[in-house]
């Protein structure tokens, strides 16, 4: 019966996408707009804690011309950078001197937590994030790439390392995404992914298990599961979900 339930969920998801074109994109943007509102309350101390990160002291706040920008920049420094290091279980020097691609980076370039790298952030919604109010113009040393993971506007064998943090379950075609990661990663390059295993939703339409991940990235030598967790930085999962760390290096 489990096979038929999975098939039914997939059919239902495809039907919803057909009946509601753009629903996934709209849901993603609605989520991030709500996040900006939370960041501002957090910065002002009206939210004492957000995702287990206490509201900032005066000396921790990043200066900006307005509260919105200051809240996003401060959240980036105090929460997002720490989150990436913890979720990927890496130190800030892990990719020193390397060109790194963050697949599905979202509206905040959290991989700036890694020192001395050339950072490229790929996301299909970058212009929408700017319209929603995310101040990407502050990050002068980050290369923002507007494009899909299924068709990356990037050269072959361009990156020394590719990372993805809770993002590949958002893509539309994981087979194409895996092939594109293979194409843009240098032979012998580093690959590390923090993957959310869960039932399909509108914004996270893909369901993963160990066998599927291993098969998708079988082209990557020594790619293996490093660990499983029921929480990431600031978020606890329901009992039937988990975060799984995959990589071809320790």
């Amino acid at each position: 019966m489990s096979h038929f339930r999975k098939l039914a969920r997939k059919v239902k998801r495809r039907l919803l996408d057909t009946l509601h074109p753009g629903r996934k994109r709209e849901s993603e943007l609605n989520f991030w707009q709500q996040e900006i509102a939370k960041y501002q309350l957090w910065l002002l101390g009206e939210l004492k804690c957000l995702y287990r990160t206490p509201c900032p002291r005066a000396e921790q706040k990043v200066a900006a011309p307005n509260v919105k920008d200051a809240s996003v920049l401060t959240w980036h420094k105090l929460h997002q950078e720490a989150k990436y290091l913890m979720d990927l279980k890496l130190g800030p020097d892990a990719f020193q001197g390397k060109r790194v691609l963050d697949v599905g980076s979202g509206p905040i370039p959290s991989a700036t937590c890694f020192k001395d790298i050339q950072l490229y952030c790929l996301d299909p919604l970058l212009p929408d994030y700017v319209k929603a109010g995310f101040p990407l113009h502050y990050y002068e040393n980050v290369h923002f790439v507007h494009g899909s993971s299924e068709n990356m506007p990037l050269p072959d064998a361009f990156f020394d390392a590719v990372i993805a943090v809770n993002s590949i379950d958002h893509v539309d075609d994981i087979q194409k995404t895996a092939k594109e990661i293979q194409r843009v990663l240098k032979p012998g390059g580093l690959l590390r992914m923090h993957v959310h295993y869960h039932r399909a939703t509108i914004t996270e339409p893909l369901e993963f298990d160990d066998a599927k991940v291993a098969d998708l990235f079988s082209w990557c030598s020594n790619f293996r599961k490093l660990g499983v967790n029921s929480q990431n930085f600031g978020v606890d999962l329901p009992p039937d979900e988990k975060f799984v760390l995959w990589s071809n290096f320790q």
Side-chain angles (χ1 to χ4, degrees):
M1 289 296 294
S2 61
H3 170 75
F4 292 105
R5 283 197 295 269
K6 287 182 179 179
L7 181 60
R9 286 201 300 271
K10 289 180 181 179
V11 171
K12 181 180 179 181
R13 187 181 71 238
R14 288 172 182 169
L15 179 60
L16 282 172
D17 289 342
T18 301
L19 293 174
H20 302 279
R23 185 175 179 184
K24 176 185 172 187
R25 187 188 199 98
E26 181 183 351
S27 295
E28 289 272 16
L29 292 174
N30 284 341
F31 168 81
W32 286 114
Q33 286 170 340
Q34 292 171 17
E35 289 296 285
I36 286 184
K38 292 178 185 177
Y39 301 159
Q40 293 179 71
L41 295 175
W42 170 81
L43 183 83
L44 297 172
E46 296 178 34
L47 269 180
K48 298 301 181 184
C49 193
L50 180 59
Y51 303 125
R52 297 201 183 100
T53 298
C55 61
R57 301 185 302 273
E59 67 273 16
Q60 293 178 306
K61 296 180 181 180
V62 177
N66 56 71
V67 170
K68 175 183 65 64
D69 288 4
S71 70
V72 175
L73 296 173
T74 304
W75 182 252
H76 168 218
K77 297 304 294 184
L78 296 187
H79 182 90
Q80 287 298 136
E81 289 193 330
K83 177 185 185 300
Y84 258 47
L85 294 176
M86 180 170 286
D87 287 349
L88 292 173
K89 291 182 169 52
L90 291 172
D93 297 323
F95 300 118
Q96 193 166 16
K98 299 186 183 301
R99 184 183 292 134
V100 180
L101 173 65
D102 185 2
V103 177
S105 60
I108 300 176
S110 309
T112 53
C113 61
F114 297 110
K115 296 179 181 178
D116 188 28
I117 66 170
Q118 296 180 51
L119 176 59
Y120 288 71
C121 290
L122 173 77
D123 201 289
L125 300 180
L126 285 172
D128 297 298
Y129 295 146
V130 173
K131 290 178 184 177
F134 283 91
L136 301 186
H137 60 282
Y138 288 99
Y139 305 103
E140 296 179 355
N141 295 323
V142 177
H143 304 275
F144 290 103
V145 182
H146 177 215
S148 72
S149 61
E150 296 86 359
N151 187 22
M152 301 183 190
L154 295 163
D156 295 352
F158 190 61
F159 293 100
D160 302 295
V162 173
I163 61 173
V165 179
N166 193 17
S167 62
I168 65 166
D169 57 320
H170 290 253
V171 307
D172 295 323
D173 190 321
I174 189 57
Q175 298 283 350
K176 289 183 178 179
T177 295
K179 289 179 180 178
E180 279 291 270
I181 291 174
Q182 181 182 17
R183 180 183 67 80
V184 301
L185 184 63
K186 292 179 180 178
L190 305 177
L191 177 60
R192 202 171 190 92
M193 298 192 305
H194 179 262
V195 186
H196 186 188
Y197 290 16
H198 58 83
R199 291 186 179 182
T201 67
I202 291 298
T203 58
E204 299 174 319
L206 299 185
E207 297 180 4
F208 288 101
D209 56 32
D210 290 352
K212 183 170 185 177
V213 176
D215 180 62
L216 285 164
F217 296 93
S218 60
W219 51 265
C220 184
S221 178
N222 205 35
F223 192 68
R224 63 203 183 279
K225 184 170 71 172
L226 295 186
V228 179
N229 209 326
S230 62
Q231 61 179 219
N232 69 355
F233 195 75
V235 175
D236 293 319
L237 290 177
D240 60 339
E241 298 182 17
K242 56 187 174 182
F243 292 113
V244 184
L245 183 64
W246 289 81
S247 184
N248 66 345
F249 68 99
Q250 285 289 352

